[in-house]
Amino acid sequence: MADFEHPINTPPRAPSPVHRFGTLAVHAGAPHDPVTGAVIESISLSTTFAQTSVGKPVGKHEYIRSSNPNRENFEAAVAALEHARFALAFASGSATTATILQSLAAGSHVVSVSDVYGGTHRYFTKVASAHGVQVTFSPSIEVDVEGLIRPNETKLIWIESPSNPTLSLVDIRAVARIAHQHGIMVVVDNTFLSPYIQNPLDHGADIVVHSVTKYINGHSDVLMGAAAFNSPTLHTRLSFLQNAIGAVPSAFDCWLAHRGLKTLHLRAREASRNGLAVAHALDASPHVIAVNYPGLASHPHRAIAQKQHRDGMGGGMLSFRLKGGKEAAERFCQATRIFTLAESLGGVESLVEVPGSMTHAGIPREQREAAGVFDDLVRVSCGVEDAEDLKADVLQALEKAVVVSKIQNGVVNGVSST
Ligand SMILES: Cc1ncc(COP(=O)(O)O)c(C=O)c1O
């Protein structure tokens, strides 16, 4: 173990890791207990830490909201996996977004990709605006960004790549190049891929954010978020807000999420293999209109995936449109036997949902459809079950959903029965 004590556990963390992903996932931020030798960290529930004299705590910590051992270890692990000097953990992905937006002064302007996670869209349009921060959405940010920048006002560019739920990709470096010419920071929500498949900071982003609730924890039993970055100035500002706003995770959740993170590479690799297998199966089905999956050669941004993703992997997330409209989409999600109809993603178990009626229902239809979120779009999160079982499951569900819908509409085998 001594081999891992330096540099993994010694702050400040190096931006270029010496060890590879799996080694970092298991060991970064995971020191043995110096007293008992315990290999796994204890869960430290104490809300306060003794001081030997006024202002002189025994160790590094004073009060649980400001810092605590489990959060510190988890943050060190996330920083290592995102090739960042710093990481901060929050109570949720949404709290992470909120804290970053809170760091902007009133009168600031943000440019965002159009098809962001529904909750991010809600925060941008209904909460940030109340604090005097305006957000402009762009469906093609690489092309539009220069024209959308407002001198002295635009402070942040917000990217989700892949986007949720249409899986379109953004060339992070192309956007960062323009943003940095204007002194603007770039944030990338990397929730859909996890740090195993994509490291946005390596492509010029200034902050990478995660809903840890998804792949990083990976077991659908923790709500948490994280942001990682290299700038000490950002660290000062965001850790101040982390403490001042107090939207922080519990020690127990940090411990659980850290345990999940240790197998991220295994889960993300398997989920991505399954994603590719399911995408191919859907692509070949006559019941499917279109498949959005960045691992397919036909994906319009495949070249970006090859440049930005580890080994050009597509990840575990995909979406597709099926014949038969909204009813068929909803019926499909009820007909799967392994995939559970539920919101969320990135867990070991496979999930399906209909974004137009569920996660993205709050976005006005016109805006939703402009971003490709039609009523017949189904979003799929592939877990780590066996690929053959997942493929068989989507194919049987398609038969049920589309054929039943055709019968109900009086059209079977292309012949109308009315
Ligand atoms: C891409 C993305 N970002 C952020 C969030 C918000 O995360 P949380 O649910 O942890 O608040 C989600 C949640 O689904 C998401 O999918």
Side-chain angles (χ1 to χ4, degrees), residues 91-95 97 116-117 119-120 160 162 164 189-192 209-214 222-225 344-345 359 379:
S92 64
S94 306
T97 303
V116 279
Y117 163 63
T120 303
E160 253 186 54
N164 177 9
D189 185 334
N190 198 23
T191 298
F192 262 41
V209 297
H210 284 279
S211 168
V212 169
T213 319
K214 313 302 183 323
V222 167
L223 175 73
M224 248 174 89
S344 202
L345 60 113
T359 46
R379 189 183 79 177

Side-chain angles (χ1 to χ4, degrees), residues 394-412:
V394 292
L395 293 178
Q396 68 79 24
L398 272 175
E399 284 299 321
K400 283 190 192 138
V402 178
V403 175
V404 170
S405 138
K406 279 184 182 167
I407 291 168
Q408 284 185 346
N409 291 331
V411 183
V412 183

Side-chain angles (χ1 to χ4, degrees), residues 9-13 29 31 34 48-51 55-64 66-73 75-76:
N9 294 323
T10 312
R13 276 122 2 213
T48 191
F49 299 84
Q51 310 197 7
K56 293 229 170 358
V58 173
K60 294 189 227 174
H61 311 291
E62 283 177 35
Y63 182 62
I64 190 166
S66 316
S67 73
N68 64 76
N70 297 114
R71 194 172 88 203
E72 187 185 42
N73 285 341
E75 290 174 342

Side-chain angles (χ1 to χ4, degrees), residues 2-347:
D3 283 357
F4 292 110
E5 273 161 22
H6 182 79
I8 298 174
N9 294 323
T10 312
R13 276 122 2 213
S16 329
V18 176
H19 299 288
R20 292 180 180 76
F21 195 97
T23 312
L24 288 169
V26 174
H27 294 287
H32 296 169
D33 187 299
V35 178
T36 65
V39 171
I40 299 303
E41 64 179 311
S42 313
I43 303 172
S44 172
L45 295 176
S46 185
T47 55
T48 191
F49 299 84
Q51 310 197 7
T52 49
S53 59
V54 174
K56 293 229 170 358
V58 173
K60 294 189 227 174
H61 311 291
E62 283 177 35
Y63 182 62
I64 190 166
R65 173 163 32 77
S66 316
S67 73
N68 64 76
N70 297 114
R71 194 172 88 203
E72 187 185 42
N73 285 341
F74 174 75
E75 290 174 342
V78 171
L81 299 190
E82 277 294 10
H83 304 171
R85 287 183 67 191
F86 308 102
L88 297 172
F90 296 89
S92 64
S94 306
T96 314
T97 303
T99 305
I100 292 170
L101 268 282
Q102 281 281 323
S103 73
L104 303 178
S108 300
H109 174 244
V110 175
V111 178
S112 169
V113 293
S114 298
D115 45 349
V116 279
Y117 163 63
T120 303
H121 186 275
R122 179 176 57 211
Y123 191 89
F124 285 171
T125 52
K126 301 211 161 68
V127 185
S129 55
H131 295 125
V133 173
Q134 280 188 3
V135 183
T136 305
F137 294 95
S138 162
S140 44
I141 204 157
E142 289 109 320
V143 183
D144 300 343
V145 67
E146 186 99 59
L148 294 173
I149 290 172
R150 300 183 192 163
N152 304 321
E153 283 179 28
T154 308
K155 301 291 180 206
L156 215 66
I157 291 173
W158 193 279
I159 292 172
E160 253 186 54
S161 184
S163 66
N164 177 9
T166 52
L167 283 296
S168 56
L169 305 185
V170 172
D171 184 332
I172 298 168
R173 191 165 292 288
V175 175
R177 201 175 290 129
I178 295 167
H180 293 164
Q181 281 165 10
H182 296 266
I184 298 167
M185 276 195 316
V186 175
V187 182
V188 175
D189 185 334
N190 198 23
T191 298
F192 262 41
L193 287 181
S194 89
Y196 180 68
I197 298 185
Q198 176 173 264
N199 291 121
L201 301 186
D202 292 351
H203 302 285
D206 301 283
I207 305 179
V208 53
V209 297
H210 284 279
S211 168
V212 169
T213 319
K214 313 302 183 323
Y215 283 102
I216 291 183
N217 177 60
H219 294 76
S220 306
D221 50 13
V222 167
L223 175 73
M224 248 174 89
F229 43 85
N230 283 313
S231 152
T233 316
L234 264 178
H235 184 245
T236 306
R237 179 84 184 124
L238 294 178
S239 55
F240 170 80
L241 290 173
Q242 180 193 38
N243 183 47
I245 296 172
V248 289
S250 73
F252 183 52
D253 280 350
C254 291
W255 186 91
L256 273 177
H258 196 169
R259 180 164 83 158
L261 172 149
K262 290 178 186 178
T263 55
L264 175 58
H265 50 304
L266 310 177
R267 292 183 285 100
R269 213 147 52 205
E270 200 60 19
S272 191
R273 275 199 204 114
N274 286 345
L276 185 61
V278 170
H280 277 306
L282 290 169
D283 206 32
S285 166
H287 303 315
V288 169
I289 299 169
V291 180
N292 303 316
Y293 183 66
L296 288 179
S298 56
H299 190 281
H301 304 142
R302 179 69 191 139
I304 301 177
Q306 271 160 334
K307 191 169 64 164
Q308 261 171 214
H309 301 181
R310 180 188 296 270
D311 302 330
M313 289 170 137
M317 296 300 299
L318 58 106
S319 60
F320 68 98
R321 296 183 65 192
L322 77 176
K323 293 178 184 165
K326 180 181 176 171
E327 292 72 25
E330 293 186 3
R331 200 174 294 117
F332 172 87
C333 294
Q334 287 167 271
T336 50
R337 295 193 189 117
I338 300 172
F339 290 84
T340 301
L341 169 57
E343 297 190 0
S344 202
L345 60 113

